[in-house]
Amino acid sequence: IGQLTALNSDLAFNLNAMSGTMPSEIGQLMAMTSSLQFGNNDFTGKLPTQLGHLTDMKESFRVDNNRFSRAIPSQLGRWTKLTFVFDLSLNDFCDAVPTEVQALSNNVLEYWQVTTGNDIGTECPILETEPPTTSPTATVLPTPSPTYCGPGYFEDQGCKLCPKGRFNGFDSASLCAVCGPGQVATQEGSSSCELCPSGRYNDDVSGIDAGLHDSIDDCVQCAQGVPNQQQTGCEMCGAGFQAGSDGCEACDEGKYADSVSVVTCIDCQTGKYSSAGAGVCELCESPLTTRGEGAASCDGCEKLHYMELDGTCASCPDGTECDAVGNELGSLMVEAGY
């Protein structure tokens, strides 16, 4: 089930006869955004702490009417986007509700049920595999420290570093998840993945191959446009903009880009002009024109005209040489005989 990393909506197994422990690999389904439902089954054991990876869950989480036990994982408190249903009722959860989880009740508006049918507030019993802290018939010895693997590690006959391309942000994890799209982990022992550098993206959504997320080289340049906000693909800049080193940049004066046929800012043609951030160039009103390409304003007059001091164009008087663009009154040459 951990290979369904492209699943981004609902995962529902309500009203079945599923038993055993919930697979921790569900924590790899980091594209999930809607609901996760395992209500009315026969699951036992702890809820996996890896569920805390699913931080984009927005609608509902149901594991009601099972036999889950032990303390509620505090990592569920990372589901700050959840707003509809949070139901852990009718299980065997014990200890107090973690503060981080209780805080979710401020956002879950439709149905919030945690304490009903559980042993919340009662100390979780010591499991048979846990050594007692006292002995009435023997000298009390210090309890050996358990193996404790923090973020960036996973448990496998001891603590091991997460390989490159994988991460783990929790304590006592049994696996490290592959980085998601737009992310890489270039060092061993990463507790989180980093976004691709500015101007680059990574579109791998398989969640299977850590080798596609273990190097900056796995983040590629956009051939056109700029990476989207999540660095998972490229998108075209809008009209009047072009791709720059820090995202989309506005075209300079005298240039334009329409985002369809022109995606890089180019000079306006002679006779047209533009202000900064233009998607099209404006045509000068005859007899006004421009002195060349890339003009920010109509700064000249057409042939047989000259520019007055107030910026308007007037017809050249008889006897003047006026065959060029951009004539001014002071620069007119008078022909012989005039």
Side-chain angles (χ1 to χ4, degrees), residues 237-297:
C237 294
F241 292 82
Q242 67 179 0
S245 58
D246 294 320
C248 293
E249 299 175 349
C251 295
D252 294 334
E253 293 181 338
K255 297 179 180 291
Y256 79 102
D258 63 12
S259 81
V260 180
S261 60
V262 179
V263 296
T264 301
C265 300
I266 60 175
D267 288 339
C268 293
Q269 298 173 324
T270 300
K272 295 183 178 182
Y273 70 98
S274 73
S275 56
V280 295
C281 297
E282 302 291 337
L283 181 66
C284 294
E285 185 175 351
S286 181
L288 282 169
T289 187
T290 64
R291 296 173 184 268
E293 296 180 345
S297 63

Side-chain angles (χ1 to χ4, degrees), residues 16-22 38-48 62-73 87-94 114 116-119 124-125 127:
N16 286 285
M18 303 178 75
S19 61
T21 58
M22 180 179 287
F38 287 86
N40 294 284
N41 283 287
D42 195 30
F43 283 106
T44 57
K46 299 179 181 179
L47 278 179
R62 288 190 56 189
V63 293
D64 53 300
N65 201 15
N66 281 277
R67 290 191 293 143
F68 287 111
S69 60
R70 312 305 294 164
I72 297 171
D87 190 358
L88 308 185
S89 63
L90 302 175
N91 282 282
D92 296 314
F93 291 115
C94 48
V114 173
T116 299
N118 287 304
D119 294 323
C124 291
L127 298 178

Side-chain angles (χ1 to χ4, degrees), residues 285 287-289 291 298-301 306-314 327-328:
E285 185 175 351
L288 282 169
T289 187
R291 296 173 184 268
C298 298
D299 57 358
C301 297
Y306 69 93
M307 183 167 284
E308 299 273 19
L309 296 177
D310 62 0
T312 59
C313 295
N327 294 307
E328 296 181 358

Side-chain angles (χ1 to χ4, degrees), residues 9-42:
S9 56
D10 301 293
L11 185 63
F13 291 102
N14 293 327
L15 298 171
N16 286 285
M18 303 178 75
S19 61
T21 58
M22 180 179 287
S24 61
E25 288 81 3
I26 292 178
Q28 298 184 44
L29 310 183
M30 291 179 289
M32 292 282 295
T33 61
S34 185
S35 63
L36 186 63
Q37 303 189 45
F38 287 86
N40 294 284
N41 283 287
D42 195 30

Side-chain angles (χ1 to χ4, degrees), residues 6-177:
L7 186 68
N8 61 6
S9 56
D10 301 293
L11 185 63
F13 291 102
N14 293 327
L15 298 171
N16 286 285
M18 303 178 75
S19 61
T21 58
M22 180 179 287
S24 61
E25 288 81 3
I26 292 178
Q28 298 184 44
L29 310 183
M30 291 179 289
M32 292 282 295
T33 61
S34 185
S35 63
L36 186 63
Q37 303 189 45
F38 287 86
N40 294 284
N41 283 287
D42 195 30
F43 283 106
T44 57
K46 299 179 181 179
L47 278 179
T49 59
Q50 289 83 357
L51 291 175
H53 288 306
L54 312 182
T55 55
D56 287 330
M57 294 284 292
K58 296 182 177 66
E59 292 190 11
S60 62
F61 177 59
R62 288 190 56 189
V63 293
D64 53 300
N65 201 15
N66 281 277
R67 290 191 293 143
F68 287 111
S69 60
R70 312 305 294 164
I72 297 171
S74 62
Q75 289 84 353
L76 296 183
R78 298 188 177 191
W79 292 10
T80 56
K81 299 178 183 178
L82 198 71
T83 59
F84 194 62
V85 173
F86 189 84
D87 190 358
L88 308 185
S89 63
L90 302 175
N91 282 282
D92 296 314
F93 291 115
C94 48
D95 279 354
V97 178
T99 303
E100 302 92 330
V101 175
Q102 186 62 44
L104 298 180
S105 63
N106 297 324
N107 299 329
V108 177
L109 304 179
E110 184 69 19
Y111 190 80
W112 169 271
Q113 191 56 260
V114 173
T115 59
T116 299
N118 287 304
D119 294 323
I120 300 300
T122 301
E123 185 176 356
C124 291
I126 297 175
L127 298 178
E128 293 182 2
T129 55
E130 296 179 3
T133 56
T134 61
S135 171
T137 60
T139 303
V140 177
L141 298 175
T143 302
S145 297
T147 300
Y148 174 81
C149 300
Y153 293 81
F154 69 102
E155 295 179 0
D156 182 15
Q157 298 180 351
C159 295
K160 295 184 179 179
L161 288 170
C162 291
K164 293 180 181 180
R166 294 178 177 268
F167 76 101
N168 170 50
F170 303 113
D171 298 331
S172 303
S174 60
L175 57 84
C176 299

